Amino acid sequence: MTARFVAAQTLLTLDARHPYAGKSLIDAQDMHRTVMSGFPDRPDDGGPDPRARMGVLSTWTVDLHRARLHLVVQASVPADWSGIPRAALAEAPEILTVDRTFRAGDRVDFRTVVNPVRSIPPPPGSPPRTRGTRVPHTRPDHVKRWFERRLQPPGEPAVAPDGVTRIGADTDPTRLAVRMLPRVSSPAPHKGLRIARAEIKGNLTVTDPQTFVATLTQGLGHARAYSCGLILIR
């Protein structure tokens, strides 16, 4: 069994001292707007989230020494970055098309930044359709277990018995590197928006190519609109 992964990816290198990039670093909503500025003609017909329909995912890092914001954006459609102020760009955008076919047994190195949370059910007697509370994991060992639950050993189904969606790949959890990252937030109008983040690095062995490609395309976990869930591979 094989599965093909096709996506458009852009590496944006912004001057972190420029107000355009600076706002994105201090406000998660501004970072979301920076990412979506590459898709000015995105569908707006009242349907489901256009970000999800175009498969827009992103991740970023900051080089404080060189004052550079490195932003990777992935989508199912090409991006147009002409709306970014020229002075905010430290380098011209690097745009490439990823086209790769995966087979069971393929090995890849990966890096991802995730929003590792667990859901606490609503208390007994709550009104119907009351949502549970999402509580972030704050320790690397808990994040590692969160990721381990999403691994898919050979021969296992894409959905675990407890309902967790798996990633179509497996690894030795003891060889994963986990690092907690600062939370991102938005002061207004989304007061209270605080997103926990953790970086996970390691290598994966593909066990279910179709599920693995779906994970690369759709992202992993929650807060995908806020630069979480993109899995970068090589």
Side-chain angles (χ1 to χ4, degrees):
M1 180 192 301
T2 63
R4 185 182 179 191
F5 172 59
V6 180
Q9 290 186 348
T10 302
L11 171 60
L12 292 173
T13 303
L14 304 178
D15 182 352
R17 295 164 296 192
H18 191 280
Y20 185 87
K23 289 194 302 180
S24 297
L25 287 172
I26 64 175
D27 190 331
Q29 282 296 132
D30 269 307
M31 181 66 78
H32 172 70
R33 283 189 284 267
T34 295
V35 170
M36 294 306 297
S37 70
F39 308 91
D41 298 324
R42 60 187 183 274
D44 190 15
D45 54 9
D49 179 9
R51 182 209 61 79
R53 278 187 287 167
M54 293 187 292
V56 180
L57 298 167
S58 62
T59 189
W60 54 268
T61 58
V62 180
D63 182 342
L64 295 176
H65 179 69
R66 299 181 61 237
R68 294 291 184 265
L69 167 60
H70 300 289
L71 178 61
V72 178
V73 181
Q74 174 180 293
S76 61
V77 296
D80 174 9
W81 302 107
S82 59
I84 293 183
R86 183 172 299 180
L89 288 168
E91 300 176 14
E94 296 182 32
I95 302 173
L96 69 153
T97 298
V98 179
D99 188 344
R100 187 166 176 180
T101 298
F102 293 98
R103 297 171 176 81
D106 285 350
R107 293 173 62 94
V108 297
D109 294 327
F110 82 99
R111 173 189 178 272
T112 185
V113 172
V114 297
N115 171 228
V117 296
R118 59 189 177 93
S119 295
I120 298 178
S126 298
R129 298 185 179 181
T130 300
R131 293 184 177 182
T133 303
R134 291 176 184 169
V135 179
H137 293 296
T138 57
R139 290 171 41 181
D141 56 328
H142 291 171
V143 173
K144 186 176 291 188
R145 286 199 290 271
W146 177 92
F147 188 75
E148 185 175 359
R149 292 180 62 207
R150 287 150 178 82
L151 296 174
Q152 187 174 346
E156 291 291 325
V159 178
D162 60 2
V164 171
T165 300
R166 289 165 163 162
I167 65 172
D170 198 16
T171 192
D172 177 358
T174 64
R175 300 178 67 87
L176 293 172
V178 178
R179 179 169 65 106
M180 304 308 299
L181 300 176
R183 294 190 182 193
V184 296
S185 61
S186 183
H190 300 270
K191 291 183 178 179
L193 175 66
R194 289 178 58 83
I195 300 168
R197 301 182 304 143
E199 178 190 67
I200 307 173
K201 291 182 178 180
N203 58 73
L204 295 169
T205 299
V206 178
T207 56
D208 181 341
Q210 290 185 340
T211 299
F212 185 62
V213 166
T215 303
L216 295 180
T217 303
Q218 300 167 11
L220 174 65
H222 294 287
R224 283 171 279 180
Y226 299 105
S227 297
C228 292
L230 173 60
I231 300 178
L232 298 175
I233 60 171
R234 61 181 178 86

